[in-house]
């Protein structure tokens, strides 16, 4: 394969991952219909999204595509589906996106046609429908009393409450039976940020998370009921189909020992403590939860969990609270559950994503003599699959941490040493798992480099704030990463111990800088991508690393105001050889990434050397001029 084609990151970004998936047809019906919402692996500001629908025939054992639609971002942001998969809805027009009015369109999932269009072209009910976080919420109520809920900005009359507080939003509730919209403006609800919201089974209230607590509110009542205190924002919440239990799934937090809270419904309002169970998963953490996690007639809930690089699929029996594990032949993510049928995705860094449908009994097999049965939903292996021809290995290190090694195939440059790119965990998920797909890292492998991603001993909670990042033991993390590098070099003689480079994204850039301070002569070069500048801010000043880097440094930053520091080039200053800046919607983002990969391959590249002076180089020139003008004693005092 030509070198330029290997360097093209777009070959990897074209791979789509599933955001949500639904089995639409009733259980046991053939052929089955599946609805998917997919997105590319681009960064969020460039990501493309589309919907795909198709039939899966048991007799033909293949996927027959019915429709594929590329939607605008605002449609994907507002897309919501009923629990019974009969209806879906979205904003077909949005004031927030420049249209004259908000239009909510409701469609039949089976007939794939609009059955209702709600036009909100005035402010007599409320202001524009909210399409951006944190108050982007859309949800159907249960089928026996069909309504749907959305959040909107208050109009001029609704902005202030009777007590003088400011409403952050109002809640719109459209009733299918009366075909009227009711606007909820309760002061106890609409003046606080709501992170997650869920209808109660009787369609008369909501469960929501706000201010670190979980609440229950019945519409029309004056107060809200706190049902669980000091709870982190849930990954997901779901009532059982028999309306007897509420499952709340929690992300990893170092101070919390449990991952699932199981409430009994209906709630007793007079109770001081609402009846519930807390379930701990031991060393495992919740990774993701299907929108419909309930199986076996409301007797079990199914979700995905992980520990270090490992990802597992678990089932929790709600009667015994016993946790069991599924046995998939390959790492998989469960996307949807319908009675005893499951829709799941198998994916890894070295293969395209594939979808399957199976029954729970088949995935719970334990002996090798038992046959695993699943039907392939997606098409056969695509022609471009050859660019993923590399190995993905998990490695465990002394001290309780792990890593993933991407190795070029044996047929690539046989007998020659291969460079190694070392990537400390970036911190956006609590760990890098075997099903994590980073197109940039895959592109590096196809550019002729091997890649080692290293997790930390203690996971970083997803969505961790800046203060939590600053409390990390970065020194220990840097030592662990360097120790892991030396072990991998010993165990894999194909790797070039004389050409090892560092690549850090976000928090990982801070770890890379710390490694260089400890081991200034070990690594050939270092590259930063979107470093979290605030980690180096102390008393309002940027504290650069104690001594200049003695190796080539490339820094790629997304517009300098993103991280709240006006002069982010001070992070690297005169120490940087190349600095690239790009806007949030830069169409040349892929080309910038290719220049980053060229730098890691050859820091002295003539192509890079011929580029115009970078902002950091300009800063260095200004600093040199200032040094000549400042007296020595004044410089020391600074």
């Amino acid at each position: 394969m030509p070198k330029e084609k290997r360097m093209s990151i777009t070959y990897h970004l074209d791979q789509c991952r599933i955001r949500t998936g639904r089995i639409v047809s009733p259980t046991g019906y053939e052929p089955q219909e599946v609805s998917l919402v997919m997105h590319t692996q681009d960064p969020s500001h460039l990501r493309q999204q589309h919907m795909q629908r198709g039939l899966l025939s048991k007799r033909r054992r293949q996927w027959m595509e019915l429709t594929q639609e590329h939607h605008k971002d605002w449609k994907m942001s507002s897309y919501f589906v009923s629990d019974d998969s009969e209806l879906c809805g979205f904003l077909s027009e949005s004031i927030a996106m420049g249209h004259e009015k908000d239009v909510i369109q409701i469609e039949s999932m089976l007939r794939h046609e609009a059955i209702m269009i709600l036009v909100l072209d005035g402010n007599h009910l409320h202001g524009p429908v909210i399409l951006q976080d944190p108050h982007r919420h859309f949800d159907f109520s249960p089928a026996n009393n069909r309504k749907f809920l959305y959040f909107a900005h208050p109009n001029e009359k609704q902005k202030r409450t009777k007590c003088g507080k400011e409403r952050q939003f109002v809640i719109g509730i459209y009733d299918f039976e009366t075909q009227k919209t009711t606007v909820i403006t309760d002061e106890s609800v609409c003046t606080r940020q709501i992170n997650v919201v869920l209808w109660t089974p009787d369609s008369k209230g909501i469960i929501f998370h706000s201010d670190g607590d979980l609440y229950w509110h019945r519409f029309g009542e004056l107060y809200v009921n706190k049902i669980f205190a000091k709870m982190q924002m849930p990954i997901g919440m779901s009532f059982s189909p028999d309306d007897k239990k509420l499952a709340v799934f929690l992300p990893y937090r170092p101070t919390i020992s449990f991952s699932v809270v199981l409430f009994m419904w209906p709630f007793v309002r007079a109770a001081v403590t609402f009846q519930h169970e807390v379930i701990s998963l031991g060393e495992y953490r919740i990774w993701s939860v299907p929108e419909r996690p309930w199986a076996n007639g409301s007797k079990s809930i199914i979700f995905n969990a992980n520990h270090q690089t490992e990802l597992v699929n678990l089932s929790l029996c709600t009667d015994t609270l016993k946790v069991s594990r599924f046995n998939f032949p390959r790492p998989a993510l469960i996307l949807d559950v319908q009675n005893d049928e499951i829709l799941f995705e198998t994916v890894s860094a070295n293969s395209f994503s594939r979808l399957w449908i199976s029954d729970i009994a088949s995935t719970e097999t334990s002996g090798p003599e038992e046959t695993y049965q699943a039907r392939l939903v997606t098409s056969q292996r695509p022609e471009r699959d050859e660019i993923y021809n590399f190995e993905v290995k998990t490695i465990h290190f002394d001290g309780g941490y792990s890593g993933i090694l991407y190795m070029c195939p044996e047929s690539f440059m046989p007998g020659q040493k291969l460079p190694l790119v070392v990537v400390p965990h970036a911190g956006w998920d609590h760990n890098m798992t075997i099903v994590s797909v980073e197109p940039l890292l895959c592109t590096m492998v196809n550019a002729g480099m091997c890649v080692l991603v290293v997790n930390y001993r203690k996971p970083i909670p997803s969505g961790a704030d800046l203060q939590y990042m600053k409390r990390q033991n970065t020194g220990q993390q840097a030592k662990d990463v360097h120790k892991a590098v030396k072990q991998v070099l010993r165990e894999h003689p194909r790797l070039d111990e004389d050409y090892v480079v560092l690549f850090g994204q976000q928090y990982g850039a801070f770890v890379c800088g710390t490694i260089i301070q400890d081991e200034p002569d070990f690594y050939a070069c270092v590259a930063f991508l979107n470093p979290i500048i605030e980690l180096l801010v102390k008393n309002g000043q940027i504290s650069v690393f104690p001594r200049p880097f003695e190796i080539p440094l490339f820094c790629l930053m997304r517009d300098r105001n993103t991280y709240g520091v006006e002069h982010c080039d001070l992070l690297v200053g005169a120490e940087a050889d190349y600095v690239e800046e790009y806007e949030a919607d830069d169409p040349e983002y892929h080309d910038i990434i290719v220049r980053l990969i060229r730098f890691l391959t050859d820091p002295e590249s003539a192509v890079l050397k011929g580029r115009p002076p970078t902002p950091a180089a300009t800063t260095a020139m200004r600093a040199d001029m200032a040094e000549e003008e400042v007296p020595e004693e004044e410089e020391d005092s600074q």
Side-chain angles (χ1 to χ4, degrees), residues 268-294:
V268 180
R269 281 179 291 172
V272 176
T273 302
F274 292 89
Q275 186 178 1
H276 66 274
E277 301 277 2
V278 294
I279 296 95
S280 174
L281 303 177
E283 60 186 9
Y284 288 94
R285 313 297 180 191
I286 301 287
W287 182 262
S288 64
V289 181
E291 289 184 8
R292 301 190 298 183
W294 294 89

Side-chain angles (χ1 to χ4, degrees), residues 161-177:
T161 69
K162 294 179 181 179
C163 298
K165 296 181 180 179
E166 184 175 346
R167 288 189 178 89
Q168 298 190 34
F169 56 86
V170 297
I171 302 176
I173 297 177
Y174 180 82
D175 192 317
F176 280 68
E177 184 177 349

Side-chain angles (χ1 to χ4, degrees), residues 255-267:
T255 57
I256 304 297
S257 61
F258 52 88
S259 299
V260 183
V261 183
L262 198 62
F263 293 93
M264 308 305 143
W265 178 266
F267 295 150

Side-chain angles (χ1 to χ4, degrees), residues 482-501:
H482 184 67
K483 180 181 177 182
V485 171
K486 292 192 291 184
Q487 176 179 326
V488 168
L489 290 175
R490 289 194 303 268
E491 295 176 352
H492 297 274
R494 290 189 68 202
L495 299 176
D496 188 351
E497 62 275 9
D498 294 326
Y499 195 83
V500 183
V501 302

Side-chain angles (χ1 to χ4, degrees), residues 59 64 110 147 184 237 282 297 333 346 355 376 445 465 528 556 599-600 614:
R59 178 176 59 85
M64 182 174 70
L110 290 174
K147 301 174 184 177
I184 307 297
M237 301 190 299
L333 285 170
T346 54
L355 292 168
L376 182 65
V445 181
D465 59 18
F528 294 160
L556 176 60
F599 169 82
L600 292 174
T614 64

